[in-house]
Amino acid sequence: GSFGAAAYSLSLTGLPSGTTIYYRAYATNPTGTGYGGEQSFLTKPAAPTNIAATDGSDTAKVVVTWTQSTGATGYKIYRDDALIDTVGAVATYDDVGAGAPTITTGAAVASDNTTLNVTLSVSGESANNGASYAYKLKAINATGDSADSNTDTGYRGASALSYEWYRS
């Protein structure tokens, strides 16, 4: 742009996300052109994409993965809109703090028999998945945070129940 013989500023739009932009100013008059030194600034990164959280495939954690953003130096990870961690330039996170699976107790019955055969039975018990959470991320760099990513829902899965009987 042409700004005359005074201090000026210029707003730019449509710049690529997470990119270092280089620029320099110059002045021209009838005797020639003078150039300023090269300057630069970093643009904010775009939000990460392809957010995916595991749906019960792991009993110890929810694994969250994403596609990294250009120019991001780290990521903020949110579970149900609460910041749970900030990590470096990685593309996966293990949420071991997600709610654990639970067991619903049932009833156990042993037959009252004087013979050597005792019948044992259980009913009403179940293993239940952990609570379901919505995960989202923000990419970060020295300039600031990106907008929120899309969300995905994940939870910790429950293992099959096993039974042990003790005789007393």
Side-chain angles (χ1 to χ4, degrees), residues 14-21 42-47 69-72 141 146:
L15 297 174
S17 300
T19 302
T20 301
I21 306 294
L42 179 65
T43 58
K44 286 184 183 181
S69 302
T70 301
N141 68 16
S146 72

Side-chain angles (χ1 to χ4, degrees), residues 20-82:
T20 301
I21 306 294
Y22 296 91
Y23 67 95
R24 67 180 178 168
Y26 67 94
T28 302
N29 68 17
T31 49
T33 302
Y35 293 91
E38 184 175 86
Q39 302 290 316
S40 67
F41 63 90
L42 179 65
T43 58
K44 286 184 183 181
T49 57
N50 302 317
I51 312 307
T54 54
D55 286 339
S57 60
D58 196 310
T59 61
K61 61 191 172 194
V62 175
V63 179
V64 182
T65 60
W66 59 91
T67 301
Q68 292 180 305
S69 302
T70 301
T73 56
Y75 297 89
K76 291 181 178 178
I77 300 152
Y78 295 82
R79 179 192 324 127
D80 287 345
D81 291 324

Side-chain angles (χ1 to χ4, degrees), residues 6-149:
Y8 63 91
S9 66
L10 176 65
S11 295
L12 301 173
T13 60
L15 297 174
S17 300
T19 302
T20 301
I21 306 294
Y22 296 91
Y23 67 95
R24 67 180 178 168
Y26 67 94
T28 302
N29 68 17
T31 49
T33 302
Y35 293 91
E38 184 175 86
Q39 302 290 316
S40 67
F41 63 90
L42 179 65
T43 58
K44 286 184 183 181
T49 57
N50 302 317
I51 312 307
T54 54
D55 286 339
S57 60
D58 196 310
T59 61
K61 61 191 172 194
V62 175
V63 179
V64 182
T65 60
W66 59 91
T67 301
Q68 292 180 305
S69 302
T70 301
T73 56
Y75 297 89
K76 291 181 178 178
I77 300 152
Y78 295 82
R79 179 192 324 127
D80 287 345
D81 291 324
L83 177 65
I84 58 171
D85 208 348
T86 301
V87 297
V90 297
T92 186
Y93 178 77
D94 293 343
D95 183 11
V96 297
T102 59
I103 296 174
T104 301
T105 58
V109 176
S111 63
D112 188 10
N113 196 331
T114 56
T115 65
L116 294 176
N117 296 324
V118 175
T119 303
L120 304 170
S121 63
V122 293
S123 62
E125 76 289 342
S126 64
N128 310 298
N129 291 324
S132 184
Y133 301 102
Y135 292 90
K136 69 179 177 183
L137 288 89
K138 289 184 180 184
I140 57 176
N141 68 16
T143 304
D145 298 357
S146 72
D148 290 350
S149 70

